[in-house]
Amino acid sequence: MSGKEPIEQLSSIQSEIVMLSQTANVLHWDMETQLASGGVAQRAEQLAYISGLIHTKATHPRVGELIGLAEQQAGTLDAVQRQVLRVARRDYDQAVRLPQAHVEAVSRETGLANHVWAKARAENRFEDFRPHLEKLVELNRQAAEYLGYSDHPYDALLDGFEQGMTVAQLDQVFGEMRQGLVKLVASIAAVPQVRNDFLTRGYPADKQREFGEKVARDIGYDFSRGFLGISAHPFTIELSSDDVRITTRYDEHFLPTALFGIIHEAGHALYEQGFPSGIKNTVLASGTSLGVHESQSRFWENTVGRSRVFWQRYYKDLCQAFPAQLADVDLETFYRGINTVAPTLIRVEADEVTYGLHVIVRYEIENKLIAGTLAVKDLPEAWNARMQE
Amino acid sequence: MSGKEPIEQLSSIQSEIVMLSQTANVLHWDMETQLASGGVAQRAEQLAYISGLIHTKATHPRVGELIGLAEQQAGTLDAVQRQVLRVARRDYDQAVRLPQAHVEAVSRETGLANHVWAKARAENRFEDFRPHLEKLVELNRQAAEYLGYSDHPYDALLDGFEQGMTVAQLDQVFGEMRQGLVKLVASIAAVPQVRNDFLTRGYPADKQREFGEKVARDIGYDFSRGFLGISAHPFTIELSSDDVRITTRYDEHFLPTALFGIIHEAGHALYEQGFPSGIKNTVLASGTSLGVHESQSRFWENTVGRSRVFWQRYYKDLCQAFPAQLADVDLETFYRGINTVAPTLIRVEADEVTYGLHVIVRYEIENKLIAGTLAVKDLPEAWNARMQE
């Protein structure tokens, strides 16, 4: 039908899919940063509809044909085209296993659940969120069956975030990590604690934002291609390759939340803002995997942001922003304070050592929920029990 | 193919179109209130793409068939269905006249022009905006030819905002209005002017927002189904029937801009938030015409918002928000001050009398641009000349 090569026809269809995915991301961004409660139901419908459109395009038989044809000509493709083809094959093989109604339902329920979660979190009412979480767990259990797996249903879902990763591998890696981390936490708890009372003094949100924006800008986050918003759960999202936004939440009585949160998200964003122009707004412009993405965010947050050398440069600026709050705190005290290791209930506010334990606990719980060996109603108890360990 | 009645099949297609239009509105809202400069180009592509999708769906031959079939069964339809059918017929007949590439181009160019306009406005550099305006005028001139008209190309475009309205009618109505308004302005200018110096004192934006939100809420604007944002040009937009947002701009040295701007936009929004649940998120949920819409906004802005009785209720609240600024201003002085009539260059900040003249001048200029008797490059001169009159 067209004189174009299969890979070019494929790229053209993919660019429509990318456009729709970016549009869905705009809907998401707005939902989490600005949408009022009354608009949630129809927004969930909009998200479901756009997801359905994406799925229809992505699973069209012509896409499968084009991928097959392009694979036969793989030898003639350049390096970028070969990667586009690899991702196309993978996305297609996954997408065709999922019924459209399922894809739409996941999108709709995620939209509805998000708002309920934020409200339930603010009011500390797990029961309000429970039916939504049950629905999402059920949908994910179904997805695992649709996608298929050899050993664990969780493998099928894990693959979407970290290709090729399995429960078997994670159990081993996390098992070793857990042992080491628990020992480390215990030995730290056994010695005199550093002073960090000053982190919970009153820090006005607007001053926090100002300082956070300065640091984000300095480490390379490009505000002319992004925006720093506010949301209940901090995240980074790509509305296009030249519009990579980040959020944080400001706790006026806990400085580290936004301070390291912004550096963390800016780390994610640097990765996405840094794609070369040749792959902008293509399927390749979204990061290799969750693990690689977190390596960027946590590198900036911890390796850079909690280092002595970083604060040798920035502590005077922070003191300028909060002169009264930090009047009796010298650089070394501050540096040690922000590196306090102590168990906390909130992953995104956890220190460098216990953060890993949060990830492990979350993995263990998710794995059981998907396997069906833990019910959502028993989740708070299971989580609390693990958090005690 | 389906056991459903034609009108039901039609409504189902329309609900997809409404969903896509609402999605395009989310893209627009974000573009005008938050998008950074780097993201504009791809956002324009996203808008063009969604417009193209809408056009494809709206002009599908099956839509024409369904409309025809439903019209044959018009006697069996209920009142709402008959209106849905009327709008469907009208939208379809208009849409099929426009080529998809044209629809996409209008959407893309509007997206690109919007950002340039805001920047050029802030820097007072018409020349930066000129090429974009030329492109938009050219696209609108083409649209008029595609849509067709009997007398004036402008009629074809006018019809999209005020169905059935023509240049011939407007020339007469506006001609009479202009004569009366010019006389009225002259006779007002001939008498001693009221005092209004206090309106240009320093009014912090956050206090303006707070007061504006209170008034908007009191007149019935539902913030749980909306949001008040900031943009260079104030507007109201429906992201869904339960998410009707408004914007304003804050001039810290001219109180009326945001004060009456918010009441004006809230007036538009009350209309859209007030649709009965039976027509929510349908093609009927968007207001009858621009004229009817403006009747709502200007009723609230002028008839209510600039009335003595309104300020008998609210002036003490305003004084509480701005005690120093209004210390030497009593209610009557304030009331007369906000009803000052004096020529201004900015329509959305104009008083009740000269506002009409702004609309007339804009109409006259647009009409000439579309007729091709005025070039964009001569626009500033033409506008300045008319503003002198």
Side-chain angles (χ1 to χ4, degrees):
Chain A
M1 60 170 71
S2 156
K4 287 192 175 170
E5 295 293 331
I7 188 72
E8 289 166 331
Q9 293 181 50
L10 190 61
S11 294
S12 155
I13 295 171
Q14 282 181 324
S15 86
E16 291 189 45
I17 294 173
V18 167
M19 205 89 83
L20 285 169
S21 302
Q22 293 176 343
T23 298
N25 283 354
V26 178
L27 297 177
H28 264 293
W29 163 268
D30 181 85
M31 180 174 73
E32 300 208 26
T33 59
Q34 201 163 77
L35 184 67
S37 58
V40 171
Q42 179 69 2
R43 176 59 52 86
E45 292 304 322
Q46 293 161 353
L47 282 165
Y49 179 70
I50 299 289
S51 302
L53 275 185
I54 292 171
H55 193 257
T56 306
K57 288 206 181 286
T59 58
H60 195 284
R62 181 72 186 145
V63 173
E65 286 167 29
L66 288 169
I67 292 172
L69 290 169
E71 283 170 343
Q72 288 165 23
Q73 307 172 347
T76 69
L77 303 181
D78 65 30
V80 170
Q81 286 174 327
R82 277 199 300 276
Q83 294 309 312
V84 166
L85 185 57
R86 178 183 60 78
V87 173
R89 163 58 70 196
R90 176 183 154 71
D91 288 351
Y92 179 76
D93 287 349
Q94 296 283 308
V96 292
R97 294 180 195 173
L98 296 167
Q100 172 146 346
H102 178 82
V103 170
E104 290 175 357
V106 168
S107 197
R108 181 182 296 112
E109 293 303 326
T110 306
L112 293 172
N114 190 286
H115 186 76
V116 177
W117 169 79
K119 195 159 176 290
R121 175 182 181 278
E123 297 168 2
N124 196 22
R125 292 164 61 94
F126 176 77
E127 276 304 304
D128 293 354
F129 181 53
R130 187 171 59 82
H132 290 273
L133 186 57
E134 280 169 349
K135 190 109 189 198
L136 287 173
V137 167
E138 189 47 39
L139 285 168
N140 275 293
R141 282 167 54 85
Q142 285 169 14
E145 298 306 319
Y146 288 132
L147 292 169
Y149 53 88
S150 310
D151 296 330
H152 293 271
Y154 195 77
D155 289 345
L157 304 175
L158 195 50
D159 195 67
F161 294 90
E162 200 66 38
Q163 200 181 346
M165 185 54 68
T166 61
V167 165
Q169 284 177 278
L170 274 193
D171 277 347
Q172 201 195 329
V173 174
F174 282 178
E176 285 173 26
M177 263 185 66
R178 177 192 250 273
Q179 236 180 344
L181 286 173
V182 167
K183 254 186 237 171
L184 189 55
V185 170
S187 67
I188 292 169
V191 298
Q193 294 308 293
V194 296
R195 186 189 152 197
N196 64 358
D197 58 290
F198 50 86
L199 296 176
T200 53
R201 291 173 180 171
Y203 293 90
D206 58 335
K207 288 282 169 196
Q208 288 193 48
R209 185 183 52 72
E210 222 172 274
F211 183 79
E213 284 191 354
K214 181 189 160 41
V215 169
R217 189 175 288 115
D218 285 358
I219 69 174
Y221 179 72
D222 182 354
F223 278 90
S224 79
R225 298 165 59 217
F227 187 87
L228 169 60
I230 296 175
S231 64
H233 181 79
F235 63 98
T236 299
I237 193 167
E238 192 190 296
L239 279 53
S240 82
S241 291
D242 290 311
D243 186 11
V244 182
R245 303 192 191 177
I246 58 180
T247 71
T248 193
R249 60 175 182 238
Y250 299 99
D251 183 337
E252 298 206 317
H253 293 282
F254 192 57
L255 183 65
T257 303
L259 181 55
F260 295 109
I262 290 172
I263 299 176
H264 178 101
E265 300 305 331
H268 280 299
L270 284 176
Y271 185 23
E272 304 244 345
Q273 285 189 334
F275 295 130
S277 61
I279 65 162
K280 274 187 184 178
N281 301 314
T282 71
V283 288
L284 299 180
S286 65
T288 294
S289 77
L290 185 64
V292 173
H293 239 299
E294 290 297 318
S295 77
Q296 301 305 298
S297 56
R298 301 197 64 209
F299 168 77
W300 283 103
E301 176 191 353
N302 294 317
T303 313
V304 176
R306 292 188 205 263
S307 69
R308 187 182 273 117
V309 68
F310 180 84
W311 288 104
Q312 280 167 351
R313 161 65 186 82
Y314 281 101
Y315 193 55
K316 65 174 190 321
D317 294 339
L318 190 70
C319 289
Q320 237 168 42
F322 304 109
Q325 296 89 332
L326 298 171
D328 63 337
V329 184
D330 63 16
L331 169 60
E332 187 63 19
T333 306
F334 180 80
Y335 164 68
R336 295 173 70 93
I338 58 169
N339 281 289
T340 308
V341 172
T344 153
L345 296 177
I346 301 170
R347 177 176 59 86
V348 296
E349 291 172 1
D351 60 74
E352 198 175 346
V353 177
T354 58
Y355 189 97
L357 289 171
H358 274 276
V359 173
I360 293 171
V361 167
R362 173 163 159 183
Y363 156 70
E364 290 173 352
I365 286 180
E366 280 188 5
N367 194 4
K368 284 185 196 302
L369 287 171
I370 297 302
T373 54
L374 174 68
V376 168
K377 69 174 168 49
D378 301 324
L379 194 157
E381 203 184 327
W383 193 77
N384 289 335
R386 274 188 173 66
M387 279 299 171
Q388 296 297 324
E389 290 174 15
Chain B
M1 60 170 72
S2 155
K4 286 193 176 170
E5 295 294 331
I7 188 72
E8 289 166 331
Q9 292 182 49
L10 190 61
S11 294
S12 155
I13 295 171
Q14 282 181 323
S15 85
E16 291 189 45
I17 294 173
V18 166
M19 206 89 83
L20 285 169
S21 302
Q22 292 176 344
T23 298
N25 283 354
V26 178
L27 296 177
H28 263 293
W29 163 268
D30 181 84
M31 180 175 72
E32 300 208 26
T33 59
Q34 201 163 77
L35 184 67
S37 58
V40 171
Q42 179 70 1
R43 176 58 52 85
E45 291 304 322
Q46 293 161 353
L47 282 166
Y49 179 70
I50 299 289
S51 302
L53 275 185
I54 293 171
H55 193 257
T56 306
K57 289 207 179 285
T59 59
H60 195 285
R62 181 72 187 144
V63 173
E65 286 167 29
L66 288 169
I67 292 172
L69 290 168
E71 283 170 343
Q72 287 165 25
Q73 308 171 346
T76 69
L77 304 181
D78 65 30
V80 169
Q81 287 174 328
R82 277 199 300 276
Q83 294 309 313
V84 166
L85 184 57
R86 178 183 60 78
V87 173
R89 163 58 71 195
R90 176 183 154 71
D91 288 351
Y92 179 76
D93 287 349
Q94 296 282 309
V96 291
R97 294 181 196 171
L98 296 167
Q100 172 146 345
H102 178 82
V103 171
E104 290 175 357
V106 168
S107 197
R108 180 182 296 112
E109 293 303 327
T110 306
L112 293 172
N114 190 286
H115 186 76
V116 177
W117 169 79
K119 194 158 176 290
R121 175 181 181 277
E123 297 168 2
N124 197 23
R125 292 164 61 95
F126 175 77
E127 276 304 305
D128 293 354
F129 181 52
R130 188 171 60 83
H132 290 273
L133 186 56
E134 280 169 349
K135 190 109 189 197
L136 287 173
V137 167
E138 189 47 39
L139 285 167
N140 274 294
R141 282 166 54 84
Q142 285 169 13
E145 298 306 319
Y146 288 132
L147 293 169
Y149 53 88
S150 311
D151 296 330
H152 293 271
Y154 196 76
D155 289 345
L157 305 175
L158 195 50
D159 196 67
F161 294 89
E162 199 66 39
Q163 200 181 345
M165 185 55 67
T166 61
V167 166
Q169 283 176 277
L170 274 192
D171 277 347
Q172 202 195 328
V173 174
F174 282 178
E176 285 173 27
M177 263 184 66
R178 176 192 251 273
Q179 236 181 343
L181 286 172
V182 166
K183 254 186 237 170
L184 189 55
V185 170
S187 67
I188 291 169
V191 298
Q193 294 308 293
V194 297
R195 187 189 151 198
N196 64 359
D197 58 290
F198 50 87
L199 296 176
T200 53
R201 291 172 180 171
Y203 293 90
D206 58 335
K207 288 283 169 195
Q208 288 193 49
R209 185 183 52 72
E210 221 172 274
F211 183 79
E213 284 191 354
K214 181 189 161 41
V215 169
R217 189 175 287 114
D218 285 358
I219 69 174
Y221 178 72
D222 182 354
F223 278 91
S224 79
R225 297 165 60 217
F227 187 87
L228 169 60
I230 296 175
S231 64
H233 181 79
F235 64 97
T236 298
I237 193 167
E238 192 191 296
L239 278 53
S240 82
S241 291
D242 290 311
D243 186 11
V244 182
R245 304 192 190 177
I246 58 179
T247 71
T248 193
R249 61 174 181 238
Y250 299 98
D251 182 337
E252 298 206 318
H253 293 282
F254 192 56
L255 183 65
T257 302
L259 181 55
F260 296 109
I262 290 172
I263 300 177
H264 178 101
E265 300 305 331
H268 280 299
L270 284 176
Y271 185 24
E272 305 244 344
Q273 286 190 334
F275 295 130
S277 61
I279 65 163
K280 273 186 184 178
N281 301 315
T282 71
V283 288
L284 298 180
S286 65
T288 295
S289 77
L290 185 64
V292 173
H293 239 299
E294 290 297 318
S295 77
Q296 301 305 298
S297 56
R298 300 198 64 212
F299 169 76
W300 283 104
E301 176 191 354
N302 295 317
T303 312
V304 176
R306 293 188 205 263
S307 69
R308 187 182 274 116
V309 68
F310 181 84
W311 288 105
Q312 280 167 351
R313 161 65 187 81
Y314 281 101
Y315 193 55
K316 64 175 189 321
D317 294 340
L318 190 71
C319 289
Q320 237 168 43
F322 305 109
Q325 296 88 332
L326 298 171
D328 63 338
V329 184
D330 65 16
L331 169 60
E332 187 63 19
T333 306
F334 180 79
Y335 164 68
R336 294 173 70 93
I338 57 169
N339 282 290
T340 308
V341 172
T344 153
L345 295 178
I346 301 171
R347 177 176 60 85
V348 297
E349 292 173 1
D351 60 75
E352 198 176 347
V353 176
T354 58
Y355 189 97
L357 290 171
H358 274 276
V359 173
I360 294 171
V361 166
R362 173 163 159 184
Y363 157 70
E364 290 173 353
I365 286 180
E366 280 187 5
N367 194 3
K368 283 184 196 302
L369 287 171
I370 297 302
T373 54
L374 174 67
V376 168
K377 70 174 169 46
D378 301 324
L379 194 157
E381 204 185 326
W383 194 77
N384 289 335
R386 273 188 173 66
M387 280 299 171
Q388 295 297 324
E389 291 174 16

